[in-house]
Amino acid sequence: MNVLLFEDEKHTAQHLIRLLEKYDPRIKILEVIGSVKQGILWFRNNPMPDLIFQDILLNDGNCFEIFDEVKIEVPVIFTTAYNEYALKSFKVNSIDYIVKPYDYQDIKNALDKFKNFREIFLPPESELLKKIVFPEKPEIKKRFLIKLGDRFRSVKSEDIAWFIYDDGLTFAVTFENDRFAINYSIDQLSALLDPDTFFQTNRKYVVNIESIRNIHTWFNSRFKIEINPKPGEDIIVSRERAKDFKLWLDR
């Protein structure tokens, strides 16, 4: 089995290679690639591997830039220190998503899944493959049930200006500046809310487009946004999300 690795940290790449060899010594590592630019060039000059292990944040950008440039029709196992890209990964042939640090059992589970799906990926026109690669989107969450002491209140999603993860809890803040604790993580909210209306700016905030008042360029290719009601701190769009943020604003 020919495997292509995307990993910009040498130590992590060596660790992954050892785990793959432990699983099956016959696995052939075609190359270890650490950048978007190198990856695009490799795909344009080489036949497709059987499987790709794909780190998301490479040394010159986000790996999804590769998928924008190259049509990849083989299974991909994503390995990353962030769990916030999971939904996006399943639009590009992902069969598994492993969050670092990983161990042998994580790699074994992913490779076992690959073996089970391998026939499905050939041919790529398979209807079952399409269901795996392009899963149905979850239903958009339209309202939240809020518990207030011995009472309950239903709050429409469109009435919420932003969500914040703060000190181990997630809060929803309405345009009227009411603040409610909710039982969802920021990553879950990013997947459940209307993507035309809400955007996850970083690991702490999800904002409603109607709450944004000003956008400023910020150092390291980031953005600083001003929202209303004001949260009491700067909201920075992370470098990894800056490109998607601009596309979201320009829909």
Side-chain angles (χ1 to χ4, degrees):
M1 177 169 61
N2 295 324
V3 177
L4 182 65
L5 305 186
F6 281 83
E7 177 57 63
D8 61 346
E9 296 181 2
K10 184 177 180 180
H11 175 75
T12 303
Q14 292 173 342
H15 175 59
L16 177 55
I17 290 172
R18 287 194 295 270
L19 296 179
L20 293 173
E21 290 175 343
K22 179 179 179 180
Y23 180 85
D24 187 346
R26 296 169 297 176
I27 290 177
K28 180 181 179 182
I29 306 301
L30 297 177
E31 192 164 347
V32 178
I33 297 174
S35 71
V36 171
K37 183 178 180 181
Q38 183 186 0
I40 293 173
L41 185 63
W42 192 95
F43 282 118
R44 288 177 175 171
N45 291 279
N46 295 276
M48 284 287 168
D50 298 312
L51 176 65
I52 299 169
F53 274 83
Q54 179 74 66
D55 187 17
I56 290 181
L57 298 183
L58 302 173
N59 60 30
D60 63 346
N62 188 306
C63 77
F64 293 107
E65 297 175 33
I66 299 174
F67 293 89
D68 291 338
E69 295 292 330
V70 181
K71 186 176 182 180
I72 297 175
E73 295 182 333
V74 298
V76 181
I77 296 172
F78 283 89
T79 60
T80 179
Y82 304 92
N83 60 13
E84 56 206 52
Y85 296 96
L87 188 62
K88 189 172 184 178
S89 73
F90 280 96
K91 297 179 181 179
V92 287
N93 290 27
S94 172
I95 60 169
D96 210 342
Y97 189 96
I98 304 173
V99 177
K100 300 175 183 177
Y102 45 75
D103 56 21
Y104 174 70
Q105 191 61 47
D106 295 321
I107 300 302
K108 180 181 183 301
N109 291 343
L111 289 171
D112 287 346
K113 184 183 293 186
F114 166 69
K115 283 186 174 181
N116 292 333
F117 286 159
R118 192 169 188 179
E119 291 185 3
I120 298 173
F121 277 88
L122 296 172
E125 294 80 14
S126 164
E127 287 301 317
L128 185 53
L129 169 62
K130 291 178 182 178
K131 291 181 180 180
I132 295 171
V133 177
F134 302 103
E136 293 183 4
K137 294 182 179 179
E139 184 178 350
I140 292 174
K141 190 165 183 60
K142 297 180 180 179
R143 60 186 65 86
F144 292 83
L145 183 63
I146 308 297
K147 190 175 188 301
L148 303 170
D150 59 352
R151 298 179 295 111
F152 289 91
R153 174 181 171 185
S154 181
V155 179
K156 293 180 180 179
S157 298
E158 63 193 47
D159 292 334
I160 297 174
W162 42 273
F163 298 86
I164 180 175
Y165 179 77
D166 185 27
D167 197 24
L169 296 173
T170 304
F171 296 91
V173 178
T174 70
F175 285 100
E176 296 178 352
N177 209 17
D178 294 325
R179 184 182 177 107
F180 306 105
I182 58 174
N183 193 27
Y184 291 89
S185 70
I186 288 295
D187 290 335
Q188 288 173 328
L189 291 170
S190 183
L192 291 172
L193 293 166
D194 183 353
D196 289 331
T197 304
F198 290 92
F199 186 85
Q200 183 178 348
T201 59
N202 50 46
R203 303 190 75 173
K204 188 174 181 179
Y205 282 95
V206 171
V207 301
N208 187 324
I209 194 168
E210 297 298 331
S211 72
I212 298 175
R213 294 295 174 261
N214 289 293
I215 303 169
H216 307 274
T217 56
W218 206 240
F219 59 91
N220 288 337
S221 302
R222 299 180 297 172
F223 294 98
K224 183 178 81 169
I225 62 175
E226 297 176 14
I227 60 175
N228 189 47
K230 296 180 179 179
E233 64 179 348
D234 290 338
I235 297 183
I236 306 300
V237 180
S238 64
R239 181 173 62 88
E240 295 79 14
R241 295 186 175 276
K243 181 179 178 181
D244 289 338
F245 181 65
K246 289 192 292 184
L247 292 174
W248 177 68
L249 292 172
D250 196 37
R251 284 184 180 176

